[in-house]
Amino acid sequence: MAMLDVKNIHKSYDDNEILRGVSFTMEKEETKVIIGPSGTGKSTLLRCINQLSPPDAGEVWLDGEEITNPATNINKIREKIGFVFQDFNLFTHLTALRNVSIGLEKVKGMEKETARKRAMDELCRVGLDAQTKQYPAQLSGGQKQRVGIARALAMDPDIILFDEPTSALDPELIGDVLDVMKSLCGKVAMLVVTHEMGFARNVADEIIFMEGGVIVESGPPKEMFTNAKTQRAKEFLGRIGALYGGG
Amino acid sequence: MTTDFAQFFIDSSPDLINGLGYTLLLTFISIAAGFFLGILLALGRVYGNKIINGLCVGYIEIIRGTPLLVQLFIIYFGLPAIGIIFTPIQAALIGLSINSGAYQAEYLRGAIQSVEAGQMTAARSLGMNKLQSIRHVVLPQALRIAIPSWSNEFIYLLQYSSIAYIIQVTELTAEGKFIAAHTFRYLEIFTMIAIIYLVLTIVSSEIIDRIAKRLSIPGVGAAKGIGQRNT
Ligand SMILES: Nc1ncnc2c1ncn2[C@@H]1O[C@H](COP(=O)(O)OP(=O)(O)OP(=O)(O)O)[C@@H](O)[C@H]1O
Ligand SMILES: [Mg+2]
């Protein structure tokens, strides 16, 4: 049984059907990258998975539990699903350290001191040992996003959803964030919406190409980059490869 | 002349201090009670369902749409007709609190709504429930944002608590009237009282400023004044 099983998700906003039947699975510690044109529903899909925007139809299963079932305690489930946002969404009134420890304290009920130590460890892991006392407004974009990743990691999630984690960053800051993400590879499952083709090629176990609210094609990066079956995927990968290529 | 004035000031001071006590009592109690009422109303407006939101809007609009003086008259002179009797100070405390609650609710609502939606999203994504997200993430930011309007409200209450003299509360202004009625030294007594209010206003806004500075966090609450009464 797959760790994450997304079954035939449909989601509409008003009369617009954004997701029109999306299905895929993820195993423990797998990394999958979702690519696709703007407005295709990639963010919507991530928000459907952790029920920030519950789908209209379809099911999401995590560890054998149906999280789309209204009877499940969604707060408990969300502890296991990290979310990293394009625009960081760090808690602006808390230091980097408190941003990471607050979930441990308030959600996991950890002792303040234990939570602090754990948050320290996570911040070291993303290379921010020196910034623990700084507020988000005092951090660079790349540092903010690494705090965002540490905040998600600290909760010991089964999977982390990344919604264009580097899109809001200056080009010279992207590398640090991607390096942190690469270092997580194989330690926690990652579902990453990104245009960073270098990351997709080198790190992903699978690339999922979405367009118009459906998965058009998916497969291992090698196959997708050299030998995509659908014309649309070929075109898109060609275009985006030229824009965001790199190793 | 100066010694005469000093003597007059000394003679009046017990009454003035008594009045000052009531003025401060009215101000502090109603700002605090109004604050708690305001938070509840603001949360009801932002997060409540249609019914709760409607009740909160109704309360706020009725209170803000009627003069404070009329509210005090209803509480003090009106309610006894249906068997509810308050002493003057009770009536004034209740009136000022429910009045300030409505205004504070609007400042706090503006402050809550000015906290970015992504903050709530991030809190919920961590697994916090709605209440935890409000308490640990939204309110700490909103309250900081609301400080400038809240500071104005404090000064407003400090000065407009003087309206309580009309329902026989012996606060500062009432004491002044009492002394003046006996001595006919209106100019001197009310100049004195004006100075007292002025000093209180300057001192309290300085104190609030310092508290705000101590609580300030880079990147939070840069916005000046969500709204305030026109005084
Ligand atoms: N809360 C919402 N209410 C109404 N429409 C929405 C909402 N969220 C998303 N949409 C619409 O759904 C469509 C898909 O949006 P989504 O953000 O999922 O796309 P995306 O693939 O992530 O695009 P991008 O690459 O630009 O981030 C868009 O047309 C968007 O306007
Ligand atoms: Mg998106």
Side-chain angles (χ1 to χ4, degrees):
Chain A
M1 186 183 55
M3 180 193 71
L4 177 75
D5 196 350
V6 175
K7 295 181 182 172
N8 199 23
I9 295 293
H10 288 258
K11 176 76 185 177
S12 302
Y13 286 115
D14 307 318
D15 284 340
N16 261 343
E17 191 169 26
I18 307 299
L19 296 178
R20 300 185 294 134
V22 175
S23 305
F24 67 96
T25 61
M26 279 184 69
E27 300 300 333
K28 255 180 108 177
E29 290 153 18
E30 243 185 340
T31 299
K32 293 197 177 184
V33 162
I34 300 178
I35 58 172
S38 182
T40 274
K42 304 179 299 290
S43 302
T44 306
L45 176 62
L46 295 190
R47 295 170 62 93
C48 279
I49 291 173
N50 85 341
Q51 307 293 299
L52 278 174
S53 329
D56 305 326
E59 294 171 5
V60 180
W61 292 71
L62 185 73
D63 290 333
E65 204 174 347
E66 193 205 332
I67 68 184
T68 29
N69 183 337
T72 29
N73 178 354
I74 191 59
N75 298 318
K76 267 273 163 266
I77 298 288
R78 288 198 185 121
E79 283 183 46
K80 302 202 278 179
I81 308 178
F83 206 116
V84 174
F85 304 90
Q86 179 172 356
D87 41 9
F88 326 121
N89 288 346
L90 293 188
F91 303 129
T92 48
H93 64 303
L94 300 177
T95 59
L97 187 80
R98 289 283 294 143
N99 260 280
V100 181
S101 67
I102 191 166
L104 296 172
E105 275 176 48
K106 307 301 177 195
V107 179
K108 287 206 185 288
M110 218 180 251
E111 288 280 330
K112 208 175 171 114
E113 192 47 36
T114 327
R116 207 188 67 85
K117 284 210 180 87
R118 176 69 201 268
M120 246 352 200
D121 291 345
E122 294 300 345
L123 285 172
C124 289
R125 188 167 168 187
V126 299
L128 293 175
D129 351 15
Q131 279 78 26
T132 55
K133 292 205 179 88
Q134 275 161 248
Y135 288 97
Q138 302 167 319
L139 296 171
S140 76
Q143 291 171 335
K144 279 185 209 170
Q145 195 56 296
R146 283 184 282 154
V147 175
I149 295 172
R151 176 172 69 177
L153 272 176
M155 301 296 285
D156 257 330
D158 291 338
I159 180 170
I160 304 182
L161 312 176
F162 293 83
D163 192 0
E164 304 200 30
T166 58
S167 300
L169 300 179
D170 292 334
E172 73 271 18
L173 300 175
I174 292 175
D176 290 345
V177 171
L178 290 180
D179 285 344
V180 167
M181 290 170 63
K182 278 179 204 160
S183 75
L184 301 179
C185 196
K187 299 196 174 82
V188 58
M190 295 194 280
L191 182 59
V192 187
V193 175
T194 185
H195 298 305
E196 292 299 327
M197 287 304 110
F199 179 85
R201 200 187 324 240
N202 298 324
V203 182
D205 298 302
E206 186 175 82
I207 294 181
I208 297 172
F209 172 60
M210 273 181 74
E211 185 167 45
V214 293
I215 295 179
V216 176
E217 186 174 351
S218 63
K222 243 197 189 134
E223 239 175 80
M224 291 290 281
F225 279 105
T226 55
N227 203 7
K229 289 183 200 69
T230 59
Q231 191 55 32
R232 284 302 302 144
K234 249 184 214 155
E235 277 172 25
F236 186 81
L237 281 161
R239 202 149 25 90
I240 203 133
L243 271 175
Y244 295 88
Chain B
M1 167 72 202
T2 31
T3 49
D4 178 52
F5 182 80
Q7 190 57 47
F8 177 54
F9 183 75
I10 291 163
D11 291 344
S12 315
S13 58
D15 289 335
L16 290 180
I17 288 169
N18 181 54
L20 181 61
Y22 277 110
T23 292
L24 293 177
L25 181 78
L26 285 171
T27 307
F28 279 99
I29 300 279
S30 15
I31 194 89
F35 176 68
F36 286 109
L37 188 56
I39 285 205
L40 292 179
L41 290 164
L43 291 177
R45 284 216 55 184
V46 179
Y47 299 110
N49 59 27
K50 271 212 176 93
I51 297 170
I52 291 177
N53 181 55
L55 288 172
C56 295
V57 171
Y59 176 92
I60 292 167
E61 290 310 317
I62 289 170
I63 297 299
R64 298 203 317 162
T66 52
L68 175 55
L69 191 56
V70 173
Q71 293 162 15
L72 289 178
F73 281 179
I74 290 176
I75 294 167
Y76 186 64
F77 297 118
L79 291 186
I82 54 169
I84 304 173
I85 297 167
F86 293 115
T87 63
I89 184 70
Q90 285 169 343
L93 284 172
I94 292 168
L96 285 169
S97 298
I98 64 172
N99 182 277
S100 185
Y103 284 89
Q104 292 193 55
E106 284 300 272
Y107 313 146
L108 288 165
R109 179 178 65 91
I112 289 170
Q113 286 173 334
S114 73
V115 174
E116 269 183 58
Q119 297 287 307
M120 180 60 120
T121 310
R124 298 306 306 273
S125 300
L126 272 182
M128 287 191 207
N129 61 35
K130 201 164 185 178
L131 210 62
Q132 288 176 313
S133 308
I134 293 170
R135 177 159 161 227
H136 300 301
V137 175
V138 177
L139 277 185
Q141 299 182 41
L143 294 182
R144 285 183 169 85
I145 295 168
I147 288 176
S149 333
W150 190 83
S151 166
N152 275 300
E153 179 68 13
F154 186 91
I155 289 160
Y156 177 93
L157 277 179
L158 187 62
Q159 298 181 356
Y160 281 70
S161 61
S162 57
I163 207 170
Y165 97 88
I166 295 178
I167 57 168
Q168 276 97 53
V169 177
T170 52
E171 48 65 68
L172 194 52
T173 311
E175 291 288 5
K177 254 204 118 189
F178 175 80
I179 296 165
H182 288 265
T183 60
F184 298 103
R185 298 172 76 163
Y186 283 90
L187 181 63
E188 285 130 302
I189 194 75
F190 282 111
T191 305
M192 251 188 267
I193 284 174
I195 291 169
I196 294 174
Y197 276 116
L198 184 64
V199 169
L200 283 177
T201 300
I202 292 169
V203 169
S204 48
S205 57
E206 181 62 30
I207 290 173
I208 294 170
D209 258 16
R210 287 201 189 171
I211 294 174
K213 283 217 181 74
R214 179 154 315 171
L215 291 177
S216 84
I217 289 173
V220 181
K224 273 251 181 288
I226 293 299
Q228 53 207 241
R229 303 199 197 209
N230 303 313
T231 54

PDB file of all heavy atoms in Angstrom, chain A residues 66-84:
ATOM      1  N   GLU A  66      -8.055   7.501   5.519  1.00  0.00           N
ATOM      2  CA  GLU A  66      -8.653   8.377   4.520  1.00  0.00           C
ATOM      3  C   GLU A  66      -8.802   9.767   5.106  1.00  0.00           C
ATOM      4  O   GLU A  66      -9.655  10.026   5.948  1.00  0.00           O
ATOM      5  CB  GLU A  66     -10.030   7.869   4.068  1.00  0.00           C
ATOM      6  CG  GLU A  66     -10.485   8.608   2.815  1.00  0.00           C
ATOM      7  CD  GLU A  66     -11.982   8.653   2.622  1.00  0.00           C
ATOM      8  OE1 GLU A  66     -12.697   7.750   3.087  1.00  0.00           O
ATOM      9  OE2 GLU A  66     -12.441   9.636   1.997  1.00  0.00           O
ATOM     10  N   ILE A  67      -7.976  10.703   4.640  1.00  0.00           N
ATOM     11  CA  ILE A  67      -8.003  12.021   5.274  1.00  0.00           C
ATOM     12  C   ILE A  67      -9.085  12.912   4.693  1.00  0.00           C
ATOM     13  O   ILE A  67      -9.407  13.941   5.260  1.00  0.00           O
ATOM     14  CB  ILE A  67      -6.612  12.691   5.219  1.00  0.00           C
ATOM     15  CG1 ILE A  67      -6.196  13.065   3.810  1.00  0.00           C
ATOM     16  CG2 ILE A  67      -5.574  11.784   5.812  1.00  0.00           C
ATOM     17  CD1 ILE A  67      -4.791  13.627   3.768  1.00  0.00           C
ATOM     18  N   THR A  68      -9.663  12.497   3.586  1.00  0.00           N
ATOM     19  CA  THR A  68     -10.792  13.257   3.041  1.00  0.00           C
ATOM     20  C   THR A  68     -12.091  12.921   3.781  1.00  0.00           C
ATOM     21  O   THR A  68     -13.089  13.586   3.595  1.00  0.00           O
ATOM     22  CB  THR A  68     -10.975  12.968   1.537  1.00  0.00           C
ATOM     23  OG1 THR A  68     -10.514  11.645   1.258  1.00  0.00           O
ATOM     24  CG2 THR A  68     -10.192  13.949   0.704  1.00  0.00           C
ATOM     25  N   ASN A  69     -12.046  11.881   4.588  1.00  0.00           N
ATOM     26  CA  ASN A  69     -13.218  11.531   5.387  1.00  0.00           C
ATOM     27  C   ASN A  69     -13.446  12.600   6.458  1.00  0.00           C
ATOM     28  O   ASN A  69     -12.553  12.889   7.243  1.00  0.00           O
ATOM     29  CB  ASN A  69     -12.959  10.168   6.052  1.00  0.00           C
ATOM     30  CG  ASN A  69     -14.154   9.678   6.839  1.00  0.00           C
ATOM     31  OD1 ASN A  69     -15.003  10.471   7.252  1.00  0.00           O
ATOM     32  ND2 ASN A  69     -14.221   8.381   7.042  1.00  0.00           N
ATOM     33  N   PRO A  70     -14.650  13.203   6.473  1.00  0.00           N
ATOM     34  CA  PRO A  70     -14.900  14.301   7.422  1.00  0.00           C
ATOM     35  C   PRO A  70     -14.707  13.880   8.876  1.00  0.00           C
ATOM     36  O   PRO A  70     -14.512  14.726   9.741  1.00  0.00           O
ATOM     37  CB  PRO A  70     -16.370  14.666   7.167  1.00  0.00           C
ATOM     38  CG  PRO A  70     -16.732  14.032   5.866  1.00  0.00           C
ATOM     39  CD  PRO A  70     -15.795  12.898   5.619  1.00  0.00           C
ATOM     40  N   ALA A  71     -14.739  12.582   9.131  1.00  0.00           N
ATOM     41  CA  ALA A  71     -14.611  12.132  10.517  1.00  0.00           C
ATOM     42  C   ALA A  71     -13.159  12.132  11.007  1.00  0.00           C
ATOM     43  O   ALA A  71     -12.915  12.084  12.212  1.00  0.00           O
ATOM     44  CB  ALA A  71     -15.205  10.733  10.673  1.00  0.00           C
ATOM     45  N   THR A  72     -12.193  12.191  10.084  1.00  0.00           N
ATOM     46  CA  THR A  72     -10.802  12.195  10.557  1.00  0.00           C
ATOM     47  C   THR A  72     -10.458  13.548  11.162  1.00  0.00           C
ATOM     48  O   THR A  72     -10.938  14.584  10.729  1.00  0.00           O
ATOM     49  CB  THR A  72      -9.775  11.953   9.424  1.00  0.00           C
ATOM     50  OG1 THR A  72     -10.309  12.439   8.212  1.00  0.00           O
ATOM     51  CG2 THR A  72      -9.363  10.526   9.311  1.00  0.00           C
ATOM     52  N   ASN A  73      -9.597  13.495  12.177  1.00  0.00           N
ATOM     53  CA  ASN A  73      -9.130  14.731  12.803  1.00  0.00           C
ATOM     54  C   ASN A  73      -8.039  15.331  11.924  1.00  0.00           C
ATOM     55  O   ASN A  73      -6.898  14.885  11.929  1.00  0.00           O
ATOM     56  CB  ASN A  73      -8.599  14.423  14.194  1.00  0.00           C
ATOM     57  CG  ASN A  73      -8.062  15.663  14.878  1.00  0.00           C
ATOM     58  OD1 ASN A  73      -7.979  16.739  14.276  1.00  0.00           O
ATOM     59  ND2 ASN A  73      -7.695  15.528  16.136  1.00  0.00           N
ATOM     60  N   ILE A  74      -8.414  16.346  11.182  1.00  0.00           N
ATOM     61  CA  ILE A  74      -7.504  16.872  10.172  1.00  0.00           C
ATOM     62  C   ILE A  74      -6.278  17.524  10.808  1.00  0.00           C
ATOM     63  O   ILE A  74      -5.185  17.497  10.238  1.00  0.00           O
ATOM     64  CB  ILE A  74      -8.227  17.842   9.202  1.00  0.00           C
ATOM     65  CG1 ILE A  74      -7.329  18.158   8.006  1.00  0.00           C
ATOM     66  CG2 ILE A  74      -8.679  19.102   9.901  1.00  0.00           C
ATOM     67  CD1 ILE A  74      -6.909  16.961   7.202  1.00  0.00           C
ATOM     68  N   ASN A  75      -6.422  18.052  12.017  1.00  0.00           N
ATOM     69  CA  ASN A  75      -5.262  18.671  12.662  1.00  0.00           C
ATOM     70  C   ASN A  75      -4.176  17.643  12.968  1.00  0.00           C
ATOM     71  O   ASN A  75      -2.992  17.916  12.844  1.00  0.00           O
ATOM     72  CB  ASN A  75      -5.684  19.398  13.938  1.00  0.00           C
ATOM     73  CG  ASN A  75      -6.649  20.531  13.641  1.00  0.00           C
ATOM     74  OD1 ASN A  75      -6.462  21.268  12.679  1.00  0.00           O
ATOM     75  ND2 ASN A  75      -7.696  20.640  14.436  1.00  0.00           N
ATOM     76  N   LYS A  76      -4.624  16.459  13.376  1.00  0.00           N
ATOM     77  CA  LYS A  76      -3.676  15.357  13.629  1.00  0.00           C
ATOM     78  C   LYS A  76      -2.951  14.981  12.330  1.00  0.00           C
ATOM     79  O   LYS A  76      -1.746  14.742  12.324  1.00  0.00           O
ATOM     80  CB  LYS A  76      -4.437  14.140  14.169  1.00  0.00           C
ATOM     81  CG  LYS A  76      -4.471  14.098  15.671  1.00  0.00           C
ATOM     82  CD  LYS A  76      -3.204  13.383  16.154  1.00  0.00           C
ATOM     83  CE  LYS A  76      -2.884  13.603  17.607  1.00  0.00           C
ATOM     84  NZ  LYS A  76      -1.971  14.659  17.935  1.00  0.00           N
ATOM     85  N   ILE A  77      -3.731  14.917  11.239  1.00  0.00           N
ATOM     86  CA  ILE A  77      -3.150  14.536   9.950  1.00  0.00           C
ATOM     87  C   ILE A  77      -2.143  15.584   9.475  1.00  0.00           C
ATOM     88  O   ILE A  77      -1.079  15.261   8.963  1.00  0.00           O
ATOM     89  CB  ILE A  77      -4.264  14.384   8.890  1.00  0.00           C
ATOM     90  CG1 ILE A  77      -5.225  13.271   9.280  1.00  0.00           C
ATOM     91  CG2 ILE A  77      -3.676  14.150   7.516  1.00  0.00           C
ATOM     92  CD1 ILE A  77      -4.675  11.887   9.145  1.00  0.00           C
ATOM     93  N   ARG A  78      -2.492  16.830   9.667  1.00  0.00           N
ATOM     94  CA  ARG A  78      -1.610  17.894   9.152  1.00  0.00           C
ATOM     95  C   ARG A  78      -0.250  17.901   9.831  1.00  0.00           C
ATOM     96  O   ARG A  78       0.720  18.394   9.275  1.00  0.00           O
ATOM     97  CB  ARG A  78      -2.285  19.267   9.298  1.00  0.00           C
ATOM     98  CG  ARG A  78      -3.422  19.444   8.313  1.00  0.00           C
ATOM     99  CD  ARG A  78      -3.782  20.917   8.164  1.00  0.00           C
ATOM    100  NE  ARG A  78      -4.943  21.073   7.322  1.00  0.00           N
ATOM    101  CZ  ARG A  78      -6.080  21.656   7.699  1.00  0.00           C
ATOM    102  NH1 ARG A  78      -6.195  22.151   8.915  1.00  0.00           N
ATOM    103  NH2 ARG A  78      -7.090  21.762   6.857  1.00  0.00           N
ATOM    104  N   GLU A  79      -0.176  17.377  11.062  1.00  0.00           N
ATOM    105  CA  GLU A  79       1.132  17.224  11.697  1.00  0.00           C
ATOM    106  C   GLU A  79       2.057  16.387  10.823  1.00  0.00           C
ATOM    107  O   GLU A  79       3.267  16.553  10.852  1.00  0.00           O
ATOM    108  CB  GLU A  79       0.990  16.488  13.035  1.00  0.00           C
ATOM    109  CG  GLU A  79       0.470  17.316  14.164  1.00  0.00           C
ATOM    110  CD  GLU A  79       0.437  16.493  15.444  1.00  0.00           C
ATOM    111  OE1 GLU A  79       1.427  15.798  15.755  1.00  0.00           O
ATOM    112  OE2 GLU A  79      -0.605  16.526  16.129  1.00  0.00           O
ATOM    113  N   LYS A  80       1.455  15.468  10.063  1.00  0.00           N
ATOM    114  CA  LYS A  80       2.269  14.533   9.282  1.00  0.00           C
ATOM    115  C   LYS A  80       2.521  15.021   7.861  1.00  0.00           C
ATOM    116  O   LYS A  80       3.192  14.368   7.086  1.00  0.00           O
ATOM    117  CB  LYS A  80       1.559  13.166   9.225  1.00  0.00           C
ATOM    118  CG  LYS A  80       1.307  12.575  10.606  1.00  0.00           C
ATOM    119  CD  LYS A  80       1.111  11.084  10.558  1.00  0.00           C
ATOM    120  CE  LYS A  80      -0.308  10.716  10.167  1.00  0.00           C
ATOM    121  NZ  LYS A  80      -0.485   9.238  10.111  1.00  0.00           N
ATOM    122  N   ILE A  81       1.919  16.163   7.516  1.00  0.00           N
ATOM    123  CA  ILE A  81       2.092  16.713   6.175  1.00  0.00           C
ATOM    124  C   ILE A  81       2.690  18.106   6.283  1.00  0.00           C
ATOM    125  O   ILE A  81       1.996  19.063   6.604  1.00  0.00           O
ATOM    126  CB  ILE A  81       0.739  16.802   5.432  1.00  0.00           C
ATOM    127  CG1 ILE A  81       0.002  15.461   5.477  1.00  0.00           C
ATOM    128  CG2 ILE A  81       0.957  17.254   3.997  1.00  0.00           C
ATOM    129  CD1 ILE A  81      -1.367  15.488   4.802  1.00  0.00           C
ATOM    130  N   GLY A  82       3.972  18.216   6.042  1.00  0.00           N
ATOM    131  CA  GLY A  82       4.589  19.551   6.084  1.00  0.00           C
ATOM    132  C   GLY A  82       4.195  20.347   4.856  1.00  0.00           C
ATOM    133  O   GLY A  82       3.856  19.778   3.817  1.00  0.00           O
ATOM    134  N   PHE A  83       4.207  21.679   4.990  1.00  0.00           N
ATOM    135  CA  PHE A  83       3.884  22.510   3.830  1.00  0.00           C
ATOM    136  C   PHE A  83       4.891  23.659   3.788  1.00  0.00           C
ATOM    137  O   PHE A  83       5.099  24.352   4.767  1.00  0.00           O
ATOM    138  CB  PHE A  83       2.460  23.070   3.953  1.00  0.00           C
ATOM    139  CG  PHE A  83       1.800  23.387   2.629  1.00  0.00           C
ATOM    140  CD1 PHE A  83       0.671  22.702   2.210  1.00  0.00           C
ATOM    141  CD2 PHE A  83       2.327  24.368   1.791  1.00  0.00           C
ATOM    142  CE1 PHE A  83       0.057  22.982   0.988  1.00  0.00           C
ATOM    143  CE2 PHE A  83       1.725  24.656   0.567  1.00  0.00           C
ATOM    144  CZ  PHE A  83       0.585  23.963   0.167  1.00  0.00           C
ATOM    145  N   VAL A  84       5.525  23.817   2.643  1.00  0.00           N
ATOM    146  CA  VAL A  84       6.467  24.918   2.462  1.00  0.00           C
ATOM    147  C   VAL A  84       5.913  25.821   1.370  1.00  0.00           C
ATOM    148  O   VAL A  84       5.597  25.360   0.276  1.00  0.00           O
ATOM    149  CB  VAL A  84       7.870  24.390   2.107  1.00  0.00           C
ATOM    150  CG1 VAL A  84       8.807  25.543   1.764  1.00  0.00           C
ATOM    151  CG2 VAL A  84       8.436  23.571   3.266  1.00  0.00           C
TER     152      VAL A  84
END
